[in-house]
Amino acid sequence: MTDVLIDRSDAVLTITLNRVEKKNSITVAMYAAMADALSAAATDDALRVVVLQGHESIFSAGNDIGDFLNPPAVTAEPPVYRFLHAISTFPKPLLAAVCGPAVGIGTTLLFHCDLVYAGDNAAFSMPFVNLGLCPEAASSYLAPRLMGYGRAAEALLLGEPFLAEAALEMGFISRIVPPSEAAALAQRQARKLAAKPLPSLIETKRLMKKGQVAIVAERMAEEGASFARLLREPAAQQAFGAFMHKHAVSKT
Ligand code: COA
């Protein structure tokens, strides 16, 4: 799997979205690879911290739209659900370096990270309604809590993007740096965390998240059912058909 690179260095595991030619949109196979890596890291005593990153020009264009239109058959639990479960319950520190567009799940997955370092070119968006869909990754719960209801409504109902400065002010990212420095900063912070006592890190994170664990799990399940239903409806099918058509036409 070269679309997701997994690098282990000392106690830090780095997961890199590496499908830049498709704007790091995430396929079923990529969710599966990330879910497997996170699940293994959660129980591996030698691993203390995980960093998620994309490219300096693009974090992620969200779910692969081809997969939305023609979902590959899966026999077990869909990999996207496994990934969301793994990221939302990950017990150790989870960091992200984010540069460029972060669309859909590219933004909502960040709500589950502990420290997010953004390039000054980062642009966050959750255009679910514009695509005939609804929020996922418990973002219908976490976005209003993190951003305040008014700004969450602009982001989720209107689908308006927001930039790194706004994200910093809302408190959902930790710092803004030049794009060329985001990954290195995340690595430095990860190494600082890795040098601290792991039981204290795990306990502190557990206590900070304690009030929301059950709500997040319940909300994700409800969103998942609604999302799956809306995905089959005409508004979403038309939006994704138009995206595929535009890109097919632009090649001719
Ligand atoms: N799924 C599948 N392919 C995608 C994709 C996605 N979510 N996003 C981008 N791509 C592909 C394009 O089809 C194109 O492929 P091609 O070169 O084979 O035609 C390539 O990535 C480049 O995309 P393009 O739109 O030309 O890049 P851009 O720099 O002009 O715009 C984005 C970047 C991220 C703003 C834009 O691609 C975009 O809006 N993508 C869709 C985001 C989305 O709606 N995601 C779903 C959220 S639920």
Side-chain angles (χ1 to χ4, degrees), residues 19-26 58 60-66 68 101 103-105 127-128 131 133 136 227 240 243-244 246-248 250-251:
R19 195 181 179 227
V20 178
E21 72 287 359
K22 294 287 181 186
K23 301 289 165 183
N24 281 343
S25 51
I26 307 175
I58 176 81
S60 173
N63 201 98
D64 180 273
I65 288 176
F68 267 155
V103 187
I105 199 166
F128 303 114
L131 298 168
L133 297 170
E136 34 72 326
F227 197 99
F240 296 133
F243 181 86
M244 298 302 272
K246 181 179 148 215
H247 283 276
S250 68
K251 284 198 183 116

Side-chain angles (χ1 to χ4, degrees), residues 4 15 30 37 46 49-50 55 61 64 97 110 211 238:
V4 172
I15 301 176
M30 290 164 74
V49 183
V50 170
H55 184 263
D64 180 273
L110 301 171
Q238 279 162 16

Side-chain angles (χ1 to χ4, degrees), residues 51-229:
V51 179
L52 276 171
Q53 61 186 16
H55 184 263
E56 272 177 41
S57 65
I58 176 81
F59 182 62
S60 173
N63 201 98
D64 180 273
I65 288 176
D67 278 4
F68 267 155
L69 282 170
N70 298 302
V74 284
T75 46
E77 190 183 12
V80 65
Y81 292 160
R82 283 206 295 123
F83 170 69
L84 290 176
H85 176 75
I87 200 168
S88 62
T89 59
F90 192 68
K92 302 172 186 175
L94 188 55
L95 284 71
V98 184
C99 300
V103 187
I105 199 166
T107 286
T108 60
L109 72 81
L110 301 171
F111 296 153
H112 301 280
C113 295
D114 302 298
L115 295 164
V116 179
Y117 296 108
D120 56 21
N121 62 345
F124 306 90
S125 61
M126 299 181 283
F128 303 114
V129 166
N130 300 347
L131 298 168
L133 297 170
C134 68
E136 34 72 326
S139 55
S140 64
Y141 171 71
L142 295 171
R145 286 196 74 202
L146 283 163
M147 303 157 74
Y149 189 87
R151 286 188 291 196
E154 283 192 331
L156 282 172
L157 292 176
L158 282 170
E160 285 188 351
F162 52 97
L163 301 178
E165 285 291 348
L168 184 67
E169 190 205 320
M170 291 167 195
F172 110 79
I173 66 171
S174 305
R175 211 185 296 178
I176 303 174
V177 292
S180 60
E181 292 173 21
L185 174 59
Q187 288 295 325
R188 278 202 306 281
Q189 301 296 73
R191 275 167 173 70
K192 273 192 219 166
L193 286 163
K196 296 182 189 293
L198 184 59
S200 292
L201 289 171
I202 290 175
E203 192 57 9
T204 302
K205 177 165 176 171
R206 185 188 74 76
L207 289 164
M208 288 201 292
K209 300 256 182 190
K210 186 174 163 59
Q212 68 181 48
V213 174
I215 303 172
V216 162
E218 189 192 320
R219 185 65 60 91
M220 264 186 199
E222 188 172 348
E223 289 172 346
S226 301
F227 197 99
R229 174 174 52 77

